Amino acid sequence: MNERARSAESVDKEVDLDELVAASDTGARSPTGSVATLLFAVALAWSSFQLWIASPLPFMLGFGVFNDTEARSIHLAFAIFLAFTAYPAFSKSPRHYIPVQDWIFALLGAFAAAYLYLFYESLSSRPGAPIAQDYVVAVIGMILLLEATRRSLGPPLAIIAIVFLTYTFLGQHMPSIIAHKGNTLGEVVNHHWVTTEGVFGIALGVSTSFVFLFVLFGSLLDKGGAGNYFIQVAFSLMGHMRGGPAKAAVVSSAMTGLISGSSIANVVTTGTFTIPLMKKVGFSSEKAGAVEVASSVNGQIMPPVMGAAAFLMVEYVGIPYFDVVKHAFLPALISYIALVYIVHLEAMKADMKGLPRAYEPGPLLQRLIMFLFGVVVLCAISFAVYYGIGWIRPVFGPAASWIIAVGLVVVYVGLIAFGSRYPELKMDDPRAPVKALPLPGPTIKAGLHFILPVVVLVWALMVERLSPGLSAFWGAVFMIFILVTQRPLFAFFRNVGDVGAELRAGFVDLLDGLVAGARNMIGIGIATATAGIIVGAVSQTGVGSALAEVVEVLSGGNILAILFLTAFLSLILGMGLPTTANYIVVSALLAPVIVTLGQQNGLIVPLIAVHLFVFYFGIMADVTPPVGLASFAAAAVSGGDPIKTGFVAFFYSLRTAALPFLFIFNNQLLLIDVGWIEGIMVFIVATIAMLVFAAATQGWFFDRLRAWEIPLLLLIAFSLFRPGFWMDMIVPPFKDVAPAAIVQAFEETPSGSELRLRVAGLDQFGSPVEFVAPVAMPEGSSGEEKLEAAGITLREDGDKILIDDVAFDSAAQKAGLDWDQEILDVRQPADQPSKYWIYLPVLLILGGVIWLQRRRSGGTTGTATAET
């Protein structure tokens, strides 16, 4: 009887989890019969349309070519139609059939969204002059879009969009600090619906061009069994360690986070397996859930996808995709390493053991030699592939792509034949007794072919430097080929089953994967369109500068207070929003605030650092109570308290919250202007610093930390992260020069370095403003030559030095200088010792703390103290 009750409870929990994921990602409604077939066909048509416009075929065949505006219009039409048919209006609304009013809303919403495609020529012939028909369609479209947003994403984003629309209309009635002239209905209709400034703006364009294909790629990869493979590999390699299931949860979430655009889906996908096993080795329900939340949310900051925000950053920051990945990679990696270490510390506190191994490993030296041999083989294969393809292209010309494709298929078939020698990877019941972990060797070898599509994607993005859309297209095409062929190939090589039946099953998997990809995109498509309302309101009303003024007043101009306020606002704005919409909202509102106020207060921050700052704090909203949706999902799996799970997860995520503040002041953490050798050193030192920070926040290093050791370790971590802070106090990095001596300062400053000018002038709205402008020093032998090369013409007005003119597209113009600005101060770079000298005393102090800890713990890895 007890077994039956437990089984029923387990089934109920799985149903609840399925509904949770469906309600947040794919739609909770599941009609049957012809309606289900229709929705299946619409979702399949959406995926097919996206693959078509991403492929070279329209241009090769000369038909089916859509411009950006037309493609965005059709993309949103699909999303709105599926939103009303897949998501019920309320929790008590019918789930197994679609009411008549929802059909009406779906068709009206799809027509309003497709209006730009259907009447493209008519609209383009009367720009800025909407007619009555445009008014009606736009009003209906925006109302239905907001309702689709409420259904698919919950109230938060819809409420924020309504607030911004209200502000757009009633700007003249707002408090003076945020007031504006107000906009008419005609201006709003034209800006938000008829043009590409609002709903059909950059965000929806990125969703149409890039995001859909990456979500589809991830869906196909998961449908093929890659998610299961990643989890099994992580457990086979790490399950035997202290707190092994938790460490495996972190690693498997990192791997699935590479291809997932949803924190909640990541939690449920990996958490249903990892959380029960974490509890089995000693983690409490809340801690097990919190580890899964922290690792799943971190998946959103991990390149190459970053919850689709990476592609938005390309458009908003204006840098190549490769640079976005390069800058985002190091903070994400050290954050994951630190989370594994936090899990290790928790395991040490509670004296946890790992799960039993499936085999006894050989001597350490033998394992080390095998590992090094594997690294050498991998490097040799990588070099052979890189230079082999580099040789094929010039020799075979246009035929090279076909030769490479054939070679890829041969490798794929070879890996399937190799993997077929090993048992099929199956997910065990995590609640059943664990007798032994899977063997690492066979587990890894059985699914090596899943690595190929990821390699194809990364190769296209990072080596070939193809566009993200085209890269994802080729990755998805290869995944389609794998889904159709892997089942019959395994049946053939294992000589079991019917090859024809397996081929048919492969096609079923493909169709399911295409439909799942489309359903996963409903919320993202709706979110990017609704976020476009907010972005459009910002550009139409100028609220960004007003928000900067509000933050400046509240912070008193203190740069740290500005950053803390911005982080807090990012958390508030990000509550309840999916990653993509989250980034669009916080970057549109808050990124300009940091740039503007930082420049006014002498902090010159690269734009990518600012966007990553607001992005990090936006996604922290998925963790933070009371709204943290990922925490609720994890608590549903673990059976723990969701609010407590959220607080523990936030505590584990402090390392992620600290990183943005650090890379704002130390851009080397983003690998900005850093070479290979220096980059390796930055990685090593930053990793040590993050581990020290994690130990301080957990209150445990080699042994329990004493009260005075915690602030000392925090100080050590800060000093390793930002050695320049102490060096700048010892030797200032700049010396102030009188404005009258600016020519001499230009002459003395070496080319390639940076001179900073503090200037006073008017901003774009005619208000007085002071800011610091960094001017890159051009080549030249005299100060006059360098001034001219920088594009600056000066004039004297009594005691004042004014900028008389700034050359177009010059270094001065890029720095924000303009005519009639007064130069208040010149800051010339000073000779300063290397900031890395600070590492010597800091590492000595760290060594002393380690010695005391080891001595107190008796030289072991820490005395166990039971703690749950």
Side-chain angles (χ1 to χ4, degrees):
M1 185 67 182
N2 288 339
E3 281 296 324
R4 189 175 299 171
R6 271 198 297 271
S7 176
E9 183 184 349
S10 175
V11 170
D12 289 343
K13 183 170 285 189
E14 286 180 15
V15 171
D16 291 343
L17 289 172
D18 289 342
E19 289 185 357
L20 179 64
V21 177
S24 64
D25 284 334
T26 61
R29 189 177 273 150
S30 54
T32 57
S34 58
V35 174
T37 305
L38 174 64
L39 298 187
F40 186 93
V42 171
L44 183 61
W46 191 10
S47 289
S48 302
F49 168 74
Q50 296 290 158
L51 287 169
W52 173 262
I53 63 173
S55 74
L57 289 176
F59 301 97
M60 292 168 60
L61 301 176
F63 70 89
V65 178
F66 301 89
N67 64 33
D68 287 345
T69 304
E70 292 172 326
R72 294 174 192 182
S73 176
I74 296 171
H75 178 84
L76 183 58
F78 274 116
I80 290 183
F81 181 86
L82 288 172
F84 279 107
T85 52
Y87 290 89
F90 304 102
S91 58
K92 294 184 179 179
S93 297
R95 303 295 177 96
H96 301 296
Y97 71 93
I98 301 173
V100 174
Q101 67 269 21
D102 283 359
W103 282 114
I104 295 171
F105 291 156
L107 292 171
L108 276 176
F111 172 78
Y115 185 71
L116 268 70
Y117 167 67
L118 297 172
F119 295 89
Y120 183 78
E121 289 187 12
S122 174
L123 290 169
S124 60
S125 66
R126 45 184 169 82
I131 60 176
Q133 178 179 294
D134 301 338
Y135 279 75
V136 173
V137 171
V139 170
I140 291 174
M142 293 185 77
I143 291 172
L144 291 177
L145 174 61
L146 291 170
E147 168 59 11
T149 304
R150 183 195 67 79
R151 291 189 182 202
S152 57
L153 303 167
L157 183 58
I159 291 171
I160 294 172
I162 291 169
V163 167
F164 273 87
L165 278 176
T166 306
Y167 173 74
T168 304
F169 285 113
L170 304 178
Q172 67 271 32
H173 303 297
M174 296 293 163
S176 58
I177 195 169
I178 59 169
H180 66 98
K181 68 178 182 62
N183 297 97
T184 65
L185 179 61
E187 290 172 332
V188 171
V189 164
N190 185 68
H191 193 80
H192 284 281
W193 202 266
V194 179
T195 68
T196 55
E197 296 295 323
V199 171
F200 298 94
I202 289 175
L204 188 63
V206 172
S207 176
T208 307
S209 304
F210 308 147
V211 178
F212 190 104
L213 292 164
F214 276 88
V215 170
L216 180 61
F217 175 76
S219 176
L220 293 172
L221 198 56
D222 187 59
K223 194 67 182 175
N228 175 28
Y229 173 68
F230 291 153
I231 295 173
Q232 295 274 28
V233 168
F235 269 85
S236 68
L237 293 174
M238 307 188 75
H240 64 281
M241 300 177 181
R242 279 180 179 266
K247 292 174 182 174
V250 174
V251 174
S252 58
S253 291
M255 290 191 286
T256 53
L258 292 175
I259 57 173
S260 170
S262 167
S263 303
I264 298 166
N266 201 351
V267 166
V268 175
T269 301
T270 59
T272 49
F273 187 72
T274 60
I275 289 174
L277 288 175
M278 281 191 259
K279 292 171 67 177
K280 192 170 292 185
V281 296
F283 281 87
S284 67
S285 296
E286 287 75 20
K287 286 187 177 181
V291 169
E292 184 57 50
V293 169
S295 53
S296 294
V297 171
N298 251 43
Q300 304 300 287
I301 66 173
M302 178 63 78
V305 177
M306 296 169 63
F311 315 114
L312 289 160
M313 286 182 192
V314 171
E315 300 296 326
Y316 289 153
V317 181
I319 61 175
Y321 173 81
F322 179 85
D323 289 346
V324 171
V325 171
K326 182 182 79 172
H327 298 320
F329 178 69
L330 185 57
L333 181 60
I334 62 175
S335 183
Y336 262 117
I337 292 172
L339 184 56
V340 172
Y341 184 59
I342 286 172
V343 167
H344 178 71
L345 294 176
E346 287 284 9
M348 287 176 62
K349 289 182 194 178
D351 193 26
M352 296 179 192
K353 306 298 180 187
L355 296 172
R357 284 180 182 268
Y359 74 107
E360 284 302 319
L364 178 61
L365 181 60
Q366 180 186 346
R367 282 183 282 160
L368 185 61
I369 291 172
M370 291 300 294
F371 173 76
L372 292 175
F373 177 74
V375 170
V376 170
V377 170
L378 184 62
C379 290
I381 293 172
S382 301
F383 276 108
V385 170
Y386 181 81
Y387 289 107
I389 291 177
W391 170 77
I392 289 172
R393 288 198 180 282
V395 171
F396 293 96
S401 298
W402 291 103
I403 293 171
I404 293 169
V406 170
L408 193 62
V409 170
V410 170
V411 172
Y412 162 68
V413 174
L415 289 176
I416 290 281
F418 181 67
S420 64
R421 302 175 189 173
Y422 303 97
E424 184 180 353
L425 294 175
K426 290 182 180 178
M427 192 79 80
D428 297 323
D429 181 2
R431 293 172 179 82
V434 179
K435 298 179 180 177
L437 291 165
L439 287 164
T443 303
I444 294 170
K445 294 169 185 175
L448 282 174
H449 63 286
F450 289 126
I451 307 297
L452 279 181
V454 179
V455 170
V456 168
L457 177 66
V458 174
W459 179 277
L461 284 169
M462 312 298 283
V463 180
E464 298 290 340
R465 302 290 182 95
L466 300 180
S467 70
L470 195 55
S471 301
F473 169 75
W474 290 119
V477 166
F478 190 44
M479 246 341 283
I480 288 171
F481 175 71
I482 289 177
L483 270 173
V484 172
T485 59
Q486 68 171 350
R487 281 176 176 267
L489 283 174
F490 271 123
F492 173 76
F493 286 116
R494 286 176 176 152
N495 199 24
V496 292
D498 182 357
V499 173
E502 294 295 338
L503 182 62
R504 289 190 292 273
F507 274 105
V508 171
D509 285 345
L510 170 60
L511 294 176
D512 288 343
L514 291 171
V515 170
R519 292 191 66 129
N520 287 337
M521 267 302 298
I522 298 171
I524 297 176
I526 296 293
T528 51
T530 308
I533 294 176
I534 298 163
V535 175
V538 171
S539 64
Q540 193 170 28
T541 63
V543 68
S545 60
L547 189 61
E549 193 172 342
V550 171
V551 171
E552 186 174 30
V553 168
L554 292 174
S555 65
N558 180 281
I559 192 63
L560 266 179
I562 289 168
L563 292 175
F564 273 110
L565 270 171
T566 306
F568 179 72
L569 288 172
S570 298
L571 276 173
I572 298 297
L573 288 170
M575 285 185 176
L577 302 188
T579 304
T580 313
N582 187 317
Y583 169 68
I584 297 167
V585 172
V586 297
S587 64
L589 286 173
L590 298 174
V593 172
I594 299 179
V595 172
T596 303
L597 297 183
Q599 197 171 20
Q600 291 176 14
N601 290 275
L603 178 66
I604 310 300
V605 187
L607 195 55
I608 182 65
V610 174
H611 278 256
L612 285 171
F613 181 94
V614 296
F615 174 58
Y616 268 52
F617 280 102
I619 63 167
M620 285 291 287
D622 271 350
V623 179
T624 314
V627 181
L629 298 179
S631 300
F632 279 86
V637 181
S638 70
D641 178 72
I643 300 298
K644 188 176 179 183
T645 300
F647 277 114
V648 177
F650 183 78
F651 194 59
Y652 289 162
S653 300
L654 283 176
R655 74 213 187 285
T656 308
L659 275 170
F661 286 96
L662 296 165
F663 61 59
I664 282 285
F665 291 101
N666 182 4
N667 302 151
Q668 287 184 326
L669 289 173
L670 301 179
L671 300 180
I672 295 176
D673 297 327
V674 169
W676 275 101
I677 295 176
E678 192 175 10
I680 293 170
M681 189 185 78
V682 167
F683 167 67
I684 293 170
V685 173
T687 301
I688 293 171
M690 185 53 77
L691 297 182
V692 171
F693 177 83
T697 57
Q698 292 301 303
W700 192 284
F701 201 9
F702 291 89
D703 195 51
R704 186 175 299 280
L705 291 171
R706 291 179 176 168
W708 61 271
E709 289 175 324
I710 293 174
L712 182 59
L713 285 181
L714 290 173
L715 186 63
I716 290 170
F718 172 78
S719 302
L720 291 173
F721 271 124
R722 222 196 134 200
F725 177 82
W726 303 112
M727 187 57 74
D728 290 350
M729 293 180 68
I730 299 168
V731 181
F734 294 96
K735 58 182 180 182
D736 291 339
V737 177
I742 185 173
V743 177
Q744 183 181 352
F746 263 77
E747 183 173 333
E748 293 174 353
T749 304
S751 300
S753 57
E754 197 176 74
L755 196 71
R756 297 189 174 184
L757 305 180
R758 184 162 188 83
V759 299
L762 301 177
D763 63 14
Q764 58 182 328
F765 302 103
S767 303
V769 66
E770 291 184 11
F771 64 94
V772 175
V775 180
M777 207 46 42
E779 298 290 336
S781 56
S782 66
E784 290 83 358
E785 288 180 5
K786 289 182 177 179
L787 272 168
E788 184 179 355
I792 301 174
T793 304
L794 301 173
R795 79 172 190 270
E796 293 186 23
D797 185 3
D799 294 335
K800 297 180 179 179
I801 303 294
L802 303 177
I803 298 175
D804 193 41
D805 193 21
V806 173
F808 175 74
D809 201 31
S810 62
Q813 188 188 56
K814 292 174 182 175
L817 298 178
D818 207 347
W819 61 279
D820 254 9
Q821 291 174 341
E822 180 187 355
I823 297 177
L824 303 176
D825 189 25
V826 179
R827 296 176 180 175
Q828 186 179 0
D831 291 331
Q832 189 184 49
S834 172
K835 62 183 179 182
Y836 299 129
W837 286 110
I838 298 296
Y839 288 156
L840 292 179
V842 172
L843 291 174
L844 282 173
I845 296 171
L846 177 61
V849 174
I850 292 172
W851 178 76
L852 287 173
Q853 282 270 304
R854 298 280 292 178
R855 182 181 175 190
R856 198 156 63 239
S857 66
T860 65
T861 56
T863 53
T865 305
E867 185 174 305
T868 59

